[in-house]
Amino acid sequence: MGMDVSTLRTLISRYCVGEENWVDSRTIYIGHKEPPPGAEAFIQQRFPDNRIVSSKYTFWNFIPKNMFEQFRRVANFYFLIIFLVQLIIDTPTSPVTSGLPLFFVITVTAIKQGYEDWLRHKADNAVNKCPVHVVQHGKVIRKQSRKLRVGDVVFVKEDESFPCDLVLLATSRDDGTCYVTTASLDGESSHKTYYAVQDTKAYNTEKEVDLIHATIECEQPQPDLYKFVGRINVYMDNEPVARPLGSENLLLRGATLKNTQYIYAVAIYTGMETKMALNYQCKSQKRSAVEKSMNSYLVVYLCILISKAIVNTVLKYAWQADPSRDEPWYNDRTESERQRHIVIRAFTDFLAFMVLFNYIIPVSMYVTVEMQKFLGSYFMMWDDEMFDEELGERAVVNTSDLNEELGQVEYVFTDKTGTLTENNMEFIECCVDGHIYVAQAICNGQVMPGSASMDMIDTSPGPGAREHEELFFRALCLCHTVQVKEEETVDSIKQGIHQGKSTSFYISSSPDEVALVEGMKRLGFTYLRLKDSHMEILNREDEIERFELLQVLTFDSNRRRMSVIVRASTGELYLFCKGADSSIFPRVISGKVDQVRARVEHNAVEGLRTLCVAYRPLSLVQYQEVCLLLNGAKLALQDRDKRLAEAYDLIEKDLILLGATAVEDRLQEKAADTIESLHKAGMKVWVLTGDKMETAAATCYASKLFHRNTQILELTTKRTEEQSLHDVLFDLSRTVLRHHGGWGRDISGLSGDYTDYGLIIDGATLSAVMKPGQEDSNSGNYKEIFLEICRNCSAVLCCRMAPLQKAQIVKLIKTSKEHPITLAVGDGANDVSMILEAHVGVGIMGKEGRQAVRNSDYAVPKFKHLKKMLLVHGHYYYIRISELVQYFFYKNVCFIFPQFLYQFFCGFSQQPLYDTAYLTLYNISFTSLPILLYSLVEQHINMDILKKDPALYRDIAKNSLLRWPSFIYWTVLGVYDAIVMFFGAYFLFDNTTFTSNGQLMTTNTQMMFGNWTFGTLVFTVLVFTVTFKLALDTHYWTWINHFVIWGSLIFFVVFSLLWGGIIWPFLNYQRMYYVFMQMLSSGPAWLSIVLLISAGLLPDVLKKVIWRAMWPTTTERIQMFAGLGYVPALLDNADKLYKGQLSEFTPLDRRRSSSTNRSRPNPTRSEPFNKKVMLTRWQRPPDYRTFTPLLGFTDVKRSSKQGAGPETCV
């Protein structure tokens, strides 16, 4: 067992460090049968069972493990220390005051995490106990999935999922193939073909399969879904026959069998060693900017706390230096305590003061923030405007911890295919030796009559050209991995070959291939089926042609091409190859290259996806050499991929060019409007795609990423071949800096005239830029120059990008000196790396499955939903949580600073100002619900206005509401309110006199004077002041706001009446008895409460009025207009803003004057928005962004009857 654990540890360590070239193997005995005598040594290895474990805790380790994780948080650990100090030493407050809030926070968090883990346990049990069918002794038996072992032969039926990683032995189809969907693994929802082992595919029954005698040697488990290296030794008459095994033979756990009745396969990786389990990667913990600000503020307040404790400790001993001011007798200090060393006494007093002031650190803030994020995420998921009827999907929140980060995005990185476009391919045209064939109606530029159902073929070319034409069509009918489904419906896959005829449907892992095969059908060549290793084609004479499929050289992203080798019925051998123009043209030795290249470039500029097609006739000798080369590479256990790549490179050469195809991938609905809105909001949008430059650039123009007046800067391989990379970078740098004058600029279009730049860079050039060190000593740092160019471009297009390069680009921007907030959006498995790298990852629920969605923080059905997610939900989330964080620190300063001042009046005796119940319930009950509700429903600006005017997003950019000036303002305001509360109450008790029964009474209020009366009065003013402060900050009022805000105040009053009106038998003191009622019985006390609350709120009100009058933000102007009843006009004018007719917000009664300004041309991108005029009755119209709100006060009386609706403004 020790060896197994160490082996597993070694495996895990190797995967963690990414040791890709490490190779080791395992031997699997099919059906647990020993090899024949003398064949090889029988060494039965031990493998894990098939149990999947995704849960975090067990019944036994939940409490200790969860407690450990929770107390790793600084705030929780701090309060635990304070609680222990209260237990150990004599402190002025009860341990309950710290222990109860801490217990509440820990318990709520533990229940939440325990429930989530219980759901994981439940899901694990459902998977582990599901039945599977296993072949044993010639019979199929059922057993639980968790009891499956490596070497078991598994029987799987159609539409069932594979219980572990399997090597395919036999299928119900004669050719030994089966069809599988792997959407749950890699996001590809289309069908893929897998192949049975050549020597076992004929075994079609349980008894026959049980007779298989073979062993499998393969690599140890590793997480790459697309890589598998192994070989099978099948014993025929005790002699082993070796066959290669690759990823085309491996069925992965979680994939589903389709269009095949049943299969037999052997288990090779089980349980946590399956590729699906190895891809359960723990995402790196993403922390929002708000959370970082919270931690910074926490450190500041911790320093303030320690300073307070030190100051009080020093002053206490300075006060007690006079013998007449020693501690009074009623403090019950024993002689032993008096005789302690002064250092020990001072340290004890320091801890006691720390305990007394510890409430300045708001422990309940963390649980409130968690609840706000968790509950707030449902508003996005419930948003009907983000529901897509076509897909039947809503927005999904996978990580609510980053809600507020949606309001801080500065860079958006987006994929093109399937994200900006629909990933719904349509065949447009093909070019054969310069002759153009356009879908349905046009051939060689001429409209063809009677071509409604089928594209017409131009018969004018000569015999040679006609032969090339037919060879081109046959090549596209043969060079693919398309399958044919002979049914009406196919799992939501693209269907329909004949118009009005539902005969058969094409299925493929690539939508491009389906579009090409369907296009060939419309041109007269129909691919029928693959049967017995023969591909059948129906030509335009309705004759069936059969080609034997000999080899498939599969597509990969490095080669960017695929090939097939076929034998015609005449015996001729052909290699057909199709791929990207950049990978085909260099391998072509003949053909009309110039004509085809010109057409490819023309189609790319039009935004079409292009492929080139070529062929090579093979002699029998050449084919035998090809087979020898491929078999040698396929049987290799080490460096198989490298050897296959070398073999493919040798085979795919000396090609003859046939032609090219063009397929259209249309832009998604409102994609252009979304990108334009993101630009106006101040975000830079980058498109990262694997497509060729011309195609991607055309899409960028269509989506308004680039505009007609955008000056395009190219940083591509073509240009770096003409000049050195160093020279190109410095030329581009000089170009952009000459116009924008130095580091950085505002690309929003709101500041001055400028030339709009767009940058295009390809993957090869990016690799050179990202190279850690350049040989040229004069080159400097290429990354910094590249970043400087990018900063001065309004948009960037990165084409020919590998998935890893996408992540590198995101990381480069993310770690630059400005540390901007990045968002990556994509729809496929190739986008996962950049989604995980960005601060916020968004998955699109496209046609490439759910891999991106599962790895993202948020998922939306379409790209257009990104607009509302950022401009509305992100805006609201940030505003709400910013107020929550600042308000929590503010109300705790108000709460604890009077306690600090009180020590100057009680001889620094650590006497609490407030009762224990008030200390405990202040943050838990009296002030927690109003701010929680505010942080869930506050809408400081109408939702429609936020969508209409994206520029409002700028008001909250760069964490503007949580910067240090704002933090200092809230802290100073809290200190001011605390001083007003304390000294206001203090002066009420200034003149006191004894009553006849010996009680102390104030002469000015006729109220009995005492420590708890004084503290209760301060606490009452405190609760009402901080609650009214939140009410003043609330713009969006609903009945829930009213209920919670006024209800919390009523609850405080009722609690205080009950707490002081009843003698509670479980308390060992009754110091609060009748205190609250007696305080309320005094009329002057009521007046003083009102005056102190007003005095506390007055500076904040004055600051807001003066600030909005003198230096208002755009948001505050809109709030003012909304308060005057101009919401319909705001919406109407914001809509016209997009058409360039009006400035953002023209008052309703000013719109008539617009006719006098019709001669003014519409603004363009070179004309910044701040130059738009506000159309008013004045002769010289002022800019609304510099329009002083005080001038609008003349309309207040006239507009007062309209009411403020649901919003209130200060």
Side-chain angles (χ1 to χ4, degrees):
M1 185 63 187
M3 182 181 70
D4 291 338
V5 173
S6 65
T7 303
L8 186 59
R9 188 181 295 116
T10 304
L11 279 173
I12 293 172
S13 67
R14 289 183 187 277
Y15 295 145
C16 290
V17 300
E19 196 171 327
E20 298 176 358
N21 296 324
W22 172 75
V23 176
D24 199 357
S25 63
R26 60 167 58 185
T27 302
I28 295 127
Y29 303 94
I30 297 179
H32 310 287
K33 296 176 184 175
E34 297 184 17
E40 59 183 86
F42 177 69
I43 304 174
Q44 186 68 53
Q45 301 178 34
R46 296 188 63 179
F47 303 109
D49 60 19
N50 200 38
R51 188 182 289 110
I52 287 290
V53 180
S54 63
S55 55
K56 193 175 183 180
Y57 307 106
T58 65
F59 179 79
W60 305 106
N61 72 6
F62 173 71
I63 292 178
K65 191 173 181 180
N66 185 263
M67 292 300 103
F68 172 74
E69 290 175 349
Q70 290 210 55
F71 285 117
R72 287 170 65 185
R73 298 182 79 167
V74 176
N76 289 346
F77 183 72
Y78 161 77
F79 273 92
L80 177 65
I81 296 299
I82 293 293
F83 176 65
L84 295 176
V85 168
Q86 287 178 292
L87 290 176
I88 295 170
I89 68 172
D90 182 23
T91 57
T93 57
S94 166
V96 175
T97 58
S98 291
L100 190 60
L102 179 64
F103 176 77
F104 173 74
V105 170
I106 295 296
T107 303
V108 168
T109 306
I111 290 173
K112 173 178 172 284
Q113 293 178 350
Y115 174 70
E116 290 173 349
D117 202 62
W118 176 75
L119 293 178
R120 286 191 287 265
H121 271 283
K122 191 176 178 182
D124 289 345
N125 286 333
V127 171
N128 293 330
K129 292 182 180 180
C130 72
V132 298
H133 297 87
V134 177
V135 177
Q136 285 186 0
H137 309 298
K139 296 180 180 178
V140 175
I141 64 169
R142 285 176 52 151
K143 62 164 67 174
Q144 290 184 346
S145 175
R146 61 191 174 95
K147 295 181 179 178
L148 206 60
R149 294 188 300 154
V150 171
D152 284 347
V153 177
V154 182
F155 175 72
V156 182
K157 297 178 183 177
E158 186 174 4
D159 293 327
E160 290 183 351
S161 294
F162 304 126
C164 59
D165 291 351
L166 308 164
V167 166
L168 185 58
L169 297 177
T171 78
S172 60
R173 305 171 76 96
D174 295 335
D175 58 1
T177 60
C178 72
Y179 303 127
V180 171
T181 57
T182 57
S184 62
L185 292 166
D186 59 5
E188 302 291 344
S189 57
S190 44
H191 291 43
K192 297 179 180 177
T193 308
Y194 289 83
Y195 301 91
V197 177
Q198 190 69 24
D199 299 285
T200 63
K201 68 178 184 181
Y203 297 88
N204 291 323
T205 65
E206 296 86 19
K207 292 183 178 179
E208 290 176 350
V209 169
D210 196 47
L211 297 175
I212 294 176
H213 202 182
T215 60
I216 292 176
E217 294 176 74
C218 62
E219 61 186 357
Q220 292 288 4
Q222 51 95 5
D224 191 339
L225 297 175
Y226 307 103
K227 183 181 177 185
F228 175 67
V229 177
R231 62 171 168 248
I232 183 170
N233 297 307
V234 183
Y235 296 100
M236 304 285 188
D237 301 324
N238 292 337
E239 289 295 327
V241 177
R243 300 290 184 192
L245 295 176
S247 57
E248 70 277 4
N249 308 114
L250 183 67
L251 307 173
L252 301 179
R253 177 176 188 140
T256 304
L257 183 65
K258 292 290 184 181
N259 305 334
T260 309
Q261 293 180 11
Y262 61 84
I263 62 152
Y264 295 98
V266 59
I268 58 167
Y269 303 132
T270 54
M272 300 306 291
E273 289 188 343
T274 58
K275 289 183 181 288
M276 183 178 76
L278 293 174
N279 275 276
Y280 286 157
Q281 60 176 353
C282 295
K283 299 177 190 176
S284 57
Q285 187 66 31
K286 295 181 178 180
R287 295 171 59 212
S288 68
V290 171
E291 187 177 348
K292 294 172 185 175
S293 297
M294 279 172 52
N295 292 337
S296 301
Y297 297 163
L298 197 67
V299 171
V300 171
Y301 272 73
L302 190 59
C303 294
I304 293 174
L305 171 63
I306 294 172
S307 302
K308 281 183 177 181
I310 291 174
V311 168
N312 275 264
T313 304
V314 171
L315 290 177
K316 174 177 180 176
Y317 282 91
W319 170 268
Q320 292 179 358
D322 187 343
S324 63
R325 294 176 179 170
D326 196 6
E327 289 206 29
W329 58 270
Y330 50 78
N331 273 4
D332 282 342
R333 294 293 292 271
T334 62
E335 192 61 31
S336 62
E337 289 175 331
R338 294 176 186 275
Q339 297 301 322
R340 277 185 194 161
H341 194 280
I342 189 170
V343 175
I344 296 176
R345 280 190 291 148
F347 181 68
T348 304
D349 285 328
F350 170 76
L351 291 179
F353 280 118
M354 286 282 289
V355 169
L356 188 63
F357 302 140
N358 82 85
Y359 303 96
I360 198 172
I361 307 292
V363 65
S364 59
M365 179 178 68
Y366 286 92
V367 73
T368 306
V369 166
E370 283 197 15
M371 291 173 66
Q372 188 268 348
K373 289 181 176 182
F374 176 71
L375 296 174
S377 63
Y378 282 94
F379 288 98
M380 187 187 297
M381 293 190 281
W382 291 336
D383 192 339
D384 287 337
E385 291 185 20
M386 297 179 72
F387 173 76
D388 187 75
E389 293 183 358
E390 181 185 347
L391 297 175
E393 297 278 4
R394 292 185 178 274
V396 175
V397 177
N398 296 325
T399 310
S400 60
D401 291 342
L402 301 172
N403 288 349
E404 65 276 9
E405 205 80 330
L406 295 173
Q408 295 296 296
V409 175
E410 297 172 60
Y411 281 82
V412 175
F413 300 92
T414 175
D415 178 40
K416 184 183 79 71
T417 306
T419 304
L420 291 178
T421 60
E422 294 179 349
N423 200 16
N424 187 13
M425 308 301 175
E426 182 181 353
F427 178 79
I428 299 299
E429 68 167 50
C430 60
C431 168
V432 185
D433 287 344
H435 298 283
I436 313 301
Y437 301 89
V438 181
Q440 299 297 342
I442 303 174
C443 183
N444 285 332
Q446 305 225 346
V447 178
M448 307 299 295
S451 59
S453 61
M454 178 175 159
D455 292 345
M456 303 303 293
I457 305 301
D458 187 357
T459 56
S460 57
R466 180 66 181 271
E467 182 182 343
H468 259 217
E469 173 193 282
E470 294 188 353
L471 198 58
F472 174 86
F473 296 146
R474 290 189 180 96
L476 285 177
C477 286
L478 297 171
C479 188
H480 56 73
T481 57
V482 170
Q483 304 128 34
V484 181
K485 175 72 174 177
E486 304 288 345
E487 290 182 12
E488 186 75 30
T489 59
V490 187
D491 300 287
S492 74
I493 306 299
K494 184 177 181 180
Q495 18 172 307
I497 299 175
H498 288 293
Q499 293 182 347
K501 299 179 184 179
S502 57
T503 54
S504 58
F505 304 93
Y506 294 137
I507 308 166
S508 174
S509 58
S510 167
D512 294 77
E513 288 193 329
V514 173
L516 292 175
V517 174
E518 288 179 350
M520 291 306 99
K521 182 176 181 67
R522 299 207 305 268
L523 288 167
F525 282 76
T526 306
Y527 171 63
L528 298 177
R529 65 186 67 85
L530 173 65
K531 185 177 182 181
D532 298 330
S533 298
H534 283 76
M535 303 179 81
E536 297 181 356
I537 296 174
L538 184 69
N539 62 24
R540 57 175 179 263
E541 280 81 26
D542 288 334
E543 298 171 349
I544 294 179
E545 301 178 5
R546 286 169 58 89
F547 293 83
E548 183 182 359
L549 181 61
L550 301 174
Q551 298 283 353
V552 178
L553 282 60
T554 54
F555 175 87
D556 65 68
S557 56
N558 294 324
R559 285 166 50 239
R560 300 184 64 81
R561 61 184 181 274
M562 76 159 290
S563 302
V564 294
I565 299 176
V566 297
R567 179 186 283 120
S569 55
T570 58
E572 296 171 317
L573 293 165
Y574 292 99
L575 179 142
F576 291 116
C577 181
K578 73 176 181 191
D581 57 321
S582 58
S583 65
I584 296 293
F585 284 141
R587 299 178 171 274
V588 169
I589 57 172
S590 66
K592 296 186 178 181
V593 178
D594 293 336
Q595 294 95 318
V596 174
R597 191 196 301 274
R599 194 63 193 176
V600 166
E601 291 176 356
H602 172 270
N603 288 333
V605 170
E606 294 296 319
L608 303 178
R609 295 165 64 90
T610 57
L611 285 176
C612 294
V613 182
Y615 81 104
R616 174 190 174 192
L618 296 174
S619 65
L620 189 59
V621 175
Q622 288 175 322
Y623 172 66
Q624 290 172 347
E625 291 175 355
V626 165
C627 289
L628 194 63
L629 201 60
L630 288 176
N631 290 337
K634 288 179 179 178
L635 283 172
L637 281 181
Q638 297 189 19
D639 297 327
R640 177 183 292 183
D641 290 342
K642 182 180 178 183
R643 293 181 62 177
L644 276 175
E646 292 171 352
Y648 292 162
D649 195 54
L650 290 172
I651 296 167
E652 296 168 327
K653 64 179 183 179
D654 301 334
L655 302 176
I656 301 170
L657 186 64
L658 289 171
T661 63
V663 173
E664 183 181 21
D665 186 9
R666 290 178 179 168
L667 208 62
Q668 276 197 21
E669 178 191 6
K670 295 185 179 178
D673 172 64
T674 302
I675 286 182
E676 193 172 24
S677 297
L678 298 182
H679 269 304
K680 289 179 180 178
M683 298 177 226
K684 292 189 178 183
V685 182
W686 291 32
V687 173
L688 313 181
T689 179
D691 271 1
K692 63 181 301 180
M693 187 181 80
E694 293 81 3
T695 305
T699 304
C700 289
Y701 277 108
S703 62
K704 297 186 180 179
L705 185 75
F706 295 155
H707 293 261
R708 292 301 172 191
N709 61 340
T710 301
Q711 183 176 336
I712 301 300
L713 308 175
E714 288 189 17
L715 186 56
T716 57
T717 307
K718 182 179 179 181
R719 185 166 178 186
T720 53
E721 286 173 354
E722 299 169 357
Q723 290 178 272
S724 69
L725 178 61
H726 173 272
D727 293 339
V728 174
L729 281 171
F730 276 89
D731 283 350
L732 295 179
S733 179
R734 280 194 297 270
T735 301
V736 295
L737 293 181
R738 184 169 60 249
H739 285 84
H740 306 301
W743 287 72
R745 72 180 183 96
D746 180 14
I747 57 94
S748 62
L750 296 175
S751 57
D753 294 330
Y754 65 90
T755 303
D756 193 16
Y757 286 109
L759 176 69
I760 298 178
I761 182 172
D762 59 19
T765 312
L766 178 68
S767 298
V769 170
M770 300 287 287
K771 202 174 294 182
Q774 287 82 21
E775 295 178 4
D776 184 0
S777 58
N778 297 322
S779 65
N781 192 335
Y782 285 174
K783 286 185 185 178
E784 280 303 316
I785 302 171
F786 174 67
L787 278 173
E788 180 58 28
I789 296 168
C790 293
R791 287 190 196 103
N792 290 279
C793 292
S794 60
V796 178
L797 166 63
C798 304
C799 50
R800 299 295 196 196
M801 301 287 286
L804 186 60
Q805 287 182 311
K806 293 184 178 183
Q808 288 175 338
I809 279 281
V810 175
K811 187 175 182 180
L812 179 68
I813 298 299
K814 179 179 162 185
T815 56
S816 61
K817 64 180 182 181
E818 295 91 356
H819 297 290
I821 303 300
T822 57
L823 179 144
V825 53
D827 71 318
N830 60 330
D831 302 315
V832 169
S833 55
M834 75 169 179
I835 285 174
L836 292 177
E837 182 62 48
H839 290 95
V840 182
V842 178
I844 302 291
M845 301 170 186
K847 298 189 176 181
E848 294 190 28
R850 293 294 184 267
Q851 184 79 341
V853 170
R854 285 199 312 277
N855 285 277
S856 63
D857 303 304
Y858 302 89
V860 291
K862 296 285 177 64
F863 183 78
K864 66 179 181 180
H865 297 128
L866 199 64
K867 177 180 176 180
K868 187 171 186 183
M869 186 173 76
L870 296 179
L871 302 185
V872 178
H873 290 290
H875 198 119
Y876 282 157
Y877 284 141
Y878 179 74
I879 290 287
R880 293 164 180 170
I881 202 160
S882 299
E883 178 85 8
L884 186 152
V885 171
Q886 300 279 33
Y887 179 78
F888 251 99
F889 283 109
Y890 156 78
K891 72 185 183 72
N892 277 37
V893 169
C894 293
F895 179 45
I896 215 62
F897 199 72
Q899 180 74 71
F900 172 73
L901 296 174
Y902 186 59
Q903 295 308 300
F904 290 85
F905 296 88
C906 68
F908 306 99
S909 61
Q910 299 152 12
Q911 168 65 36
L913 177 61
Y914 312 117
D915 180 62
T916 301
Y918 290 156
L919 285 171
T920 305
L921 297 178
Y922 176 74
N923 278 320
I924 294 179
S925 300
F926 298 148
T927 59
S928 59
L929 275 181
I931 184 59
L932 176 61
L933 187 74
Y934 174 96
S935 65
L936 289 174
V937 302
E938 169 66 0
Q939 296 182 20
H940 64 302
I941 294 179
N942 185 283
M943 187 181 300
D944 294 322
I945 295 176
L946 287 177
K947 284 193 294 185
K948 295 291 185 181
D949 187 8
L952 293 172
Y953 193 85
R954 300 167 184 276
D955 279 0
I956 60 169
K958 297 187 180 296
N959 204 16
S960 60
L961 301 183
L962 285 176
R963 290 178 182 165
W964 287 107
S966 178
F967 168 72
I968 292 170
Y969 169 75
W970 279 86
T971 302
V972 170
L973 184 64
V975 171
Y976 166 81
D977 287 349
I979 292 173
V980 169
M981 295 169 202
F982 181 83
F983 286 106
Y986 173 77
F987 288 122
L988 287 175
F989 293 108
D990 195 24
N991 300 313
T992 57
T993 182
F994 283 98
T995 62
S996 57
N997 58 3
Q999 291 179 319
L1000 200 61
M1001 179 172 286
T1002 59
T1003 56
N1004 52 351
T1005 65
Q1006 297 299 305
M1007 186 169 61
M1008 284 189 295
F1009 177 79
N1011 173 58
W1012 302 115
T1013 306
F1014 177 67
T1016 302
L1017 179 61
V1018 173
F1019 191 80
T1020 302
V1021 175
L1022 164 69
V1023 171
F1024 276 81
T1025 301
V1026 298
T1027 305
F1028 286 156
K1029 161 67 176 161
L1030 185 64
L1032 285 172
D1033 287 348
T1034 301
H1035 297 92
Y1036 186 74
W1037 284 94
T1038 64
W1039 69 266
I1040 306 177
N1041 294 77
H1042 288 288
F1043 176 78
V1044 171
I1045 287 179
W1046 314 128
S1048 64
L1049 294 177
I1050 293 170
F1051 172 75
F1052 162 69
V1053 174
V1054 171
F1055 173 84
S1056 298
L1057 290 171
L1058 291 175
W1059 184 246
I1062 300 173
I1063 297 177
W1064 298 95
F1066 57 83
L1067 294 178
N1068 57 5
Y1069 62 88
Q1070 301 294 334
R1071 61 194 180 200
M1072 292 299 293
Y1073 181 66
Y1074 208 65
V1075 169
F1076 194 73
M1077 276 88 69
Q1078 194 275 336
M1079 183 188 75
L1080 294 183
S1081 65
S1082 169
W1086 282 83
L1087 180 61
S1088 64
I1089 290 172
V1090 173
L1091 288 175
L1092 292 178
I1093 293 173
S1094 301
L1097 295 175
L1098 184 62
D1100 189 48
V1101 173
L1102 288 176
K1103 179 257 179 187
K1104 287 184 176 179
V1105 171
I1106 294 172
W1107 224 259
R1108 290 182 179 223
M1110 305 302 294
W1111 307 283
T1113 63
T1114 308
T1115 299
E1116 289 167 346
R1117 284 194 177 88
I1118 291 172
Q1119 288 172 344
M1120 184 193 72
F1121 287 132
L1124 297 176
Y1126 291 144
V1127 173
L1130 297 181
L1131 294 176
D1132 185 41
N1133 293 351
D1135 188 39
K1136 290 187 177 182
L1137 166 65
Y1138 280 149
K1139 300 174 184 178
Q1141 296 176 14
L1142 295 171
S1143 66
E1144 279 86 335
F1145 298 107
T1146 307
L1148 191 61
D1149 59 346
R1150 313 283 197 222
R1151 292 172 63 192
R1152 294 191 186 95
S1153 61
S1154 61
S1155 58
T1156 61
N1157 291 273
R1158 283 176 185 166
S1159 59
R1160 179 178 173 83
N1162 290 344
T1164 62
R1165 285 189 62 87
S1166 60
E1167 180 181 351
F1169 288 118
N1170 67 342
K1171 288 191 175 180
K1172 295 178 184 176
V1173 293
M1174 183 177 190
L1175 305 174
T1176 65
R1177 67 185 62 181
W1178 289 289
Q1179 185 174 2
R1180 184 179 179 182
D1183 182 354
Y1184 107 94
R1185 294 188 181 275
T1186 57
F1187 179 59
T1188 306
L1190 287 175
L1191 299 175
F1193 287 174
T1194 56
D1195 293 334
V1196 171
K1197 291 182 181 178
R1198 182 175 56 187
S1199 307
S1200 60
K1201 294 181 181 180
Q1202 299 176 20
E1207 300 198 355
T1208 59
C1209 297
V1210 176

